[in-house]
Structure formats: structure tokens, C-alpha cells
Amino acid sequence: MKISTITNWAYGVTVVLTAVSGIAFIAAANSAREERRAVSVHLALNELGEELAIGAELRTDEARLYVMRGDLAHLQAFDDANTVEHQLEATARAAASLGATEEEQAFLKRINTDVDALEDMELEAIKAYQAGDAATAQEILFGAEHYRDHVKLIDDVRQFRSTVRSRTDQDLIAAQERSNLFGLAARIMLSFTAAVFLAVLYFVLRRRVSLPLSRMTGIVKRLASQDFAVEVPLDGRRDEIGELNSAIHIFRENGLERERLDAERRRDIKIKDLILQMMHRLQACQSLSEMARVLACYAPQMFPELSGGIFLRDDETGALQCVARWQSDLSPSQEFETEACWGLRRGRTHGSNFDEGEDMRCAHLGAGKAAALCIPLSAQGDTVGLLSFDARGGDAKMIRDDQLYLELIAENIALTAVNLKLRDQMTQLVERDPLTGLLNRRSLDAALIRYATGRLMAPLACLMLDIDWFKRFNDEFGHDAGDAVIQSFSGILARITEGHGTCYRFGGEEFVVLLPGYDAERAHQLAEDVRQSVASTSFSFRGQHIDGITVSIGLAIANAGDSTETLRARADAALLRAKAAGRNRVEISAADGLESEQPR
């Protein structure tokens, strides 16, 4: 056979094989378009479900902020979010046009029902708040029913997305199998053509078919194993291989986006669960230090890429003091004035170094270029402190993405701090005498009851003290002078007995001191120290000298194993004896075995 005939036959077979190969590639490209269409449907439905959940959450947040702050801007934001949510619900009802199955449409109907239920509760809460019933409004928005419906919405969205993902995966697998089949047929034909006409088509096959296919084969295998980290170089060719390359690139990008969305969803759920756990712990805190430890425990779990600290305002100095810090490699100020923080100055969240030269950096953060966020802790019209976060890696996006959560945490911390301070103040009012700052009679009775109900393991001394001729001071100098005398005397008493016992104002000009572990001799000596110190102290009021202030003291002892039920009564009887004997003296209960001390 002549060479020309062989060449003609070769070219004829080449044309046929090329045509068949082209058909196979076109079929593969069509399969790739089916994959893209399936991915597009998945993304549209997935995004619809996610937007319904996010819109409901945004609407809930605005409703909560409105009933908590009363700011009409939040009510307007609620109405805007509600309008957008209604539009999304309308889209969900027409989901069949997006390619949703009957099962997926049923899920969307359930999600719309969940969103409507939340909307009804939020509208009811807003009406209650506008009617002046803020407590009912907050109970509705933060109550168990609202939380249960919100969790049900999130669960339905998760099931919907799972259903969409499952169907899409099946469609993708089927389209991919067809694409692989046609691609395999095309490769076989091209390989056969190359074997027959290697001398003629070697360069074309190698440069235009074999090498690109070899590269894409490895990429396709890694993508098939869900390894979306593989790089897919874009090929500018306008042929079937170029389209296949573009399809693979799109598939990879869609896979990466799906993984990112799933990771964000899982992270959001984890953060919400941890915030809920932290709020439960905060409600059980007994002190501000406990509150700070709870925050320092949970903040690194919720935001491992952020370091931070909590600062509380000192009521006496007004300075901000650090009570807890976590994951911090820097050494910012442990104490600073309000003016050192732009967030406290402005009364709102302040970001430092979010972008190059964007805003002022707070002085208390010290030197550095790390992005930071300062959130004032304000509740019930009172600023109690500051919550500070900074990006350990220096990336402002890490803080900006979580700013809503950080502000939500700050609101709960502020409410907890204010409630704890109010409780401490109420405790002070209940247990302390407002004039002297000493414990009051209620606290004394409680202490004596505790001693009476338990077994006394060591001696307990009781001093009953009375300022002599106190009525004369009131009559001569006025009640304000009398109050000044009581305050000065209580200061002397607290100073001498500090570290030895507990002082109480019994009432009027009478005081009681309990001295655990003191026998009669030691208690008598301490009582003498008080008496002599008072007698030798010069008192004055508004520049007027007050002479002759003395104190009479009655002393009683309960030894280990004795009953304390009559301890105060015996000390009171000894005080009466001291006053009857001329005042300015210490008398011990007759049953306790020491001679009375005469004044020197």
C-alpha cells in the first residue's frame, strides 16, 4: 500500500476519531454544565435557608435591643429586617422555580412557619413594651418559648440544608460519572489516534491534549476525594479542555465555599452554645471576681484567636482596674483613668488599628499595631467597666467578624456586674449601720444565733459599750455634734479592735464588740485600751472643743463548751453596773472572775 494511501486513510480515520472525540468532549462539557446547574440550585436554596435564619436572628436582635434600650432606631431596624424577611418568605414559597423538590418545599414551608411564630412573639413583645410593660416584653423575647422556637428554626434550616446538600451531591455524582465516562471515551480515542498517527500528530496530541488531560486527571481525583485545597490553574483555551478546566475550577470554588459556610455555621453554633453556658454561669455568680473568672474561662473557648481583658471601675477613685486577662502576650495597663480609653470617652464601642490610620489607638492598650476593640460595660444608665479584645495575629477581620457576639457578651457582663453591685449595696444597707459603717444590731443577732446553735470551741468575749452622758452632748451641742461624736468613737473602736474582733452598733450610743478566742483577762485589757483611748482623745465639732467624753464598758465571757444565749445580757448587766458605779470604767460580769478596773 502506497504511503499516500496510508496517509489518506490515516487522515480519514483521524477525522472520524476527532469528530467522535469532539462529541465525547461536548457530552462531558454538558455533564459539567449539569454539575454547575446542580451547584447553582444548591447554592440558591442553601443561601435562601441561611438568609431566612439570619434574617430572623437579626430581627430578633433588633426587637431585643428595642425593648432593652427603647431606641426607635432599633424599632425601625426591626421593621426593615421584617420587610426583608417577608420578601425571603415569598421567595421560599416560590422555591419550585429555583428547582426545589417537594420535600425541600415542605422544609421551606416549615421554616416560614417558624419565622412567622417568632415574628408573632416579637410583635407581641414590642406591643407590650410600647404599652409600658417592659418586663413582659423582655420575658417574651428572652423566655424559654422564644428560645425553643429559635432553636427549632435553626434545626429546620440545618435539616433543609442537609436535604439540599444530599440531593445536590447525588446529582453531582451522576453528572460527574457521565462526565468521567465521556472523558474516558475521549481519552481512549485520542490515545488510539496518537498511536496510529504518532509521527504526524505527536506534537498536537502532546501539547494540546495529553499534557492538559494528565494535569486535570490528578486534579479531578483530588476533587473527587473532597480535597478542595488542590490548585486548579485557569486555562485560557477556548475548546472542550478549556471548558472542562473552567468547570473543574468552578466545582472547586463551590466546594471551598460550601466548606467555608459549613465551618462558619458550625463555629456560630459553637459560639452560641458557649455564650448560653456562660450566661448560665454568670447568673449564678456571687461576686465580681467570680464573674471575671467565668469570662476568662469561656472567652478563649469562643474566640481562640483573640486575647482580652475585663476592667471594672473603682467606685472610690473612678479608675479602671484589670480583674481578669486571658491569652494576652502584651502588658497593657493594669489600671488607667477613663480618659485613657476612647470607647469610655465616647460611650460606645471603639476599634483601634482596624485599618491603617483609620482611628485613634487607646492609650491604655500600650504600644503595638494589633487591632483592638474596646466595649464599655454599660447597663441601667451606669458604666461599670470595660471589655477589651485584641487580635493576636494582628488581623482586624478576626475582631470585626465577631463584633456582634462581643457586644452581646459585653451587654450580659454589664448587666451581671450592675446586678452584683446592687446586691452588694443592698447587703450593705441591710447589714451595716449607715452612720458609722459598723455592722448593725441585725448582724449582731445573727452572729449570736450562729454561736448559740453551734458548739463553742474557744472562749468568746462580749463587750457592751455606752458613751457616758451622751444626751448632754446632744442637748448642749446639737444632734449633729452627737452624730460626730458617735462617728469619732466608732472609728477609735474599730481601730483598736481591728484584727481582734467584730464591732457592732447596738443602737443609739451603745456598741457591742465580740472577741472570739479571748479569755476574761485579755478582753479586760482590750476594753481598758478602748476606755483610755476615748478618755484621752480630744473631740471637736465645727471648731468647737468638746470635753469630757468617756465610755462605760460591760464585759462577759463564754468559755469553750458554754452556752452563749445569756452572753449579751450578762455584758449588758455588767454595763449597768459600770454606769451605776460612776461611769468611765470597765465592769466584768460577776460570774467571770476579775476585779473591776477603776479609772486612772
Side-chain angles (χ1 to χ4, degrees):
M1 186 178 293
K2 293 182 179 181
I3 295 177
S4 58
T5 303
I6 296 174
T7 302
N8 290 334
W9 274 101
Y11 278 110
V13 173
T14 300
V15 171
V16 173
L17 292 176
T18 301
V20 175
S21 298
I23 294 172
F25 276 118
I26 292 173
N30 289 334
S31 298
R33 281 192 290 272
E34 292 178 8
E35 289 182 45
R36 292 196 298 273
R37 188 182 304 110
V39 171
S40 299
V41 171
H42 167 72
L43 288 177
L45 294 176
N46 198 40
E47 182 179 1
L48 177 59
E50 186 70 10
E51 287 182 350
L52 283 169
I54 292 174
E57 184 172 352
L58 289 175
R59 186 181 64 193
T60 297
D61 289 342
E62 295 299 337
R64 287 177 173 173
L65 290 171
Y66 174 65
V67 302
M68 289 176 67
R69 300 177 178 175
D71 190 344
L72 292 178
H74 293 299
L75 180 60
Q76 181 61 44
F78 170 84
D79 292 335
D80 295 341
N82 202 22
T83 301
V84 174
E85 194 70 359
H86 287 165
Q87 295 172 355
L88 292 173
E89 289 182 64
T91 303
R93 286 190 290 270
S97 63
L98 299 177
T101 64
E102 292 184 0
E103 181 182 6
E104 293 163 354
Q105 293 178 49
F107 268 113
L108 287 172
K109 184 177 181 180
R110 285 169 53 187
I111 292 172
N112 281 347
T113 302
D114 295 340
V115 171
D116 291 338
L118 289 172
E119 178 187 3
D120 293 339
M121 282 190 285
E122 290 157 4
L123 290 174
E124 180 183 355
I126 290 174
K127 289 181 180 178
Y129 181 82
Q130 292 174 341
D133 193 356
T136 299
Q138 294 180 11
E139 177 63 25
I140 293 172
L141 291 178
F142 293 91
E145 182 178 358
H146 189 280
Y147 175 76
R148 182 172 59 253
D149 288 349
H150 188 71
V151 171
K152 183 174 181 297
L153 170 62
I154 293 175
D155 185 61
D156 287 343
V157 170
R158 182 171 59 253
Q159 294 183 37
F160 168 72
R161 295 178 66 187
S162 177
T163 301
V164 172
R165 183 172 58 253
S166 176
R167 177 175 68 83
T168 303
D169 288 343
Q170 293 176 2
D171 293 342
L172 287 175
I173 290 173
Q176 189 176 28
E177 288 177 350
R178 290 193 298 272
S179 178
N180 290 339
L181 179 61
F182 289 122
L184 178 62
R187 287 195 297 273
I188 292 174
M189 294 176 187
L190 289 173
S191 298
F192 179 72
T193 303
V196 175
F197 302 104
L198 186 59
V200 178
L201 304 176
Y202 172 77
F203 177 78
V204 175
L205 287 176
R206 180 172 178 81
R207 295 292 303 273
R208 301 293 295 172
V209 178
S210 297
L211 291 179
L213 285 178
S214 297
R215 287 195 301 267
M216 284 188 289
T217 298
I219 294 173
V220 170
K221 287 181 178 179
R222 293 181 63 179
L223 291 176
S225 63
Q226 303 296 313
D227 180 10
F228 297 108
V230 60
E231 291 293 333
V232 181
L234 286 175
D235 193 337
R237 293 166 50 179
R238 298 189 178 185
D239 55 16
E240 291 81 3
I241 293 180
E243 290 183 5
L244 182 60
N245 177 267
S246 299
I248 293 173
H249 181 77
I250 293 173
F251 180 75
R252 173 184 176 271
E253 292 297 322
N254 291 337
L256 288 173
E257 181 65 14
R258 184 169 63 249
E259 283 190 341
R260 186 186 67 80
L261 292 174
D262 288 343
E264 287 184 356
R265 179 181 56 82
R266 290 192 298 270
R267 181 176 181 272
D268 286 344
I269 292 174
K270 178 184 177 183
I271 290 176
K272 290 175 182 177
D273 289 342
L274 288 171
I275 289 177
L276 183 61
Q277 294 179 32
M278 185 184 71
M279 291 173 61
H280 290 163
R281 274 51 169 191
L282 290 175
Q283 292 173 3
C285 286
Q286 299 293 324
S287 65
L288 293 173
S289 60
E290 277 190 351
M291 177 196 73
R293 289 198 299 271
V294 169
L295 177 61
C297 173
Y298 278 91
Q301 300 180 55
M302 291 183 284
F303 312 106
E305 68 279 5
L306 301 181
S307 60
I310 179 172
F311 301 82
L312 296 180
R313 188 184 64 192
D314 188 291
D315 291 334
E316 295 183 359
T317 65
L320 279 294
Q321 296 179 345
C322 180
V323 294
R325 197 183 296 280
W326 54 91
Q327 299 190 147
S328 179
D329 300 327
L330 304 176
S331 299
S333 304
Q334 293 292 324
E335 180 176 341
F336 59 90
E337 299 298 325
T338 302
E339 291 74 13
C341 179
W342 286 94
L344 291 173
R345 289 191 198 179
R346 301 165 62 206
R348 57 184 296 179
T349 301
H350 178 79
S352 299
N353 292 355
F354 267 30
D355 291 306
E356 187 72 24
E358 178 186 349
D359 210 336
M360 300 294 294
R361 182 172 177 84
C362 295
H364 67 89
L365 294 173
K369 296 184 178 180
L373 193 70
C374 296
I375 309 175
L377 298 178
S378 301
Q380 301 178 9
D382 185 20
T383 299
V384 297
L386 175 73
L387 200 57
S388 176
F389 293 92
D390 60 87
R392 304 173 70 191
D395 185 2
K397 186 178 184 299
M398 293 188 294
I399 295 183
R400 189 183 291 109
D401 290 346
D402 294 322
Q403 182 171 341
L404 182 62
Y405 287 129
L406 298 178
E407 292 178 343
L408 176 62
I409 290 172
E411 288 184 10
N412 285 277
I413 291 293
L415 284 173
T416 301
V418 169
N419 290 335
L420 288 173
K421 284 195 171 187
L422 288 175
R423 186 175 66 179
D424 289 343
Q425 293 173 2
M426 293 299 296
T427 301
Q428 289 288 329
L429 292 175
V430 171
E431 296 181 352
R432 295 280 176 178
D433 172 53
L435 179 62
T436 64
L438 299 179
L439 294 171
N440 57 21
R441 181 169 179 175
R442 180 194 301 269
S443 301
L444 173 63
D445 292 341
L448 290 174
I449 290 173
R450 287 197 300 272
Y451 282 116
T453 55
R455 179 176 176 81
L456 199 61
M457 305 303 294
L460 176 64
C462 177
L463 303 182
M464 195 83 177
L465 306 95
D466 183 270
I467 300 175
D468 296 329
W469 309 112
F470 184 74
K471 186 176 183 301
R472 176 170 60 84
F473 298 123
N474 278 342
D475 294 341
E476 184 175 350
F477 300 103
H479 288 281
D480 288 344
D483 289 344
V485 169
I486 287 177
Q487 288 177 327
S488 299
F489 170 74
S490 64
I492 295 172
L493 184 63
R495 175 177 55 80
I496 295 176
T497 59
E498 183 178 5
H500 302 282
T502 307
C503 301
Y504 304 86
R505 186 183 181 191
F506 187 72
E509 69 274 19
E510 291 186 314
F511 296 82
V512 174
V513 179
L514 294 181
L515 300 168
Y518 271 62
D519 57 18
E521 184 175 355
R522 291 181 64 199
H524 188 275
Q525 181 59 50
L526 189 141
E528 270 299 311
D529 292 342
V530 173
R531 185 189 68 79
Q532 294 175 15
S533 179
V534 172
S536 62
T537 299
S538 176
F539 293 87
S540 63
F541 176 70
R542 295 177 181 173
Q544 188 174 8
H545 187 69
I546 302 175
D547 292 322
I549 296 180
T550 59
V551 62
S552 299
I553 304 175
L555 168 62
I557 301 293
N559 293 314
D562 292 347
S563 172
T564 61
E565 293 182 355
T566 63
L567 181 63
R568 187 183 62 79
R570 287 190 286 118
D572 194 24
L575 173 62
L576 293 175
R577 287 171 51 204
K579 295 170 70 173
R583 293 180 168 79
N584 190 23
R585 59 190 293 124
V586 178
E587 285 285 344
I588 191 166
S589 174
D592 294 325
L594 281 180
E595 293 294 332
S596 299
E597 183 71 21
Q598 300 296 331
R600 297 179 178 85

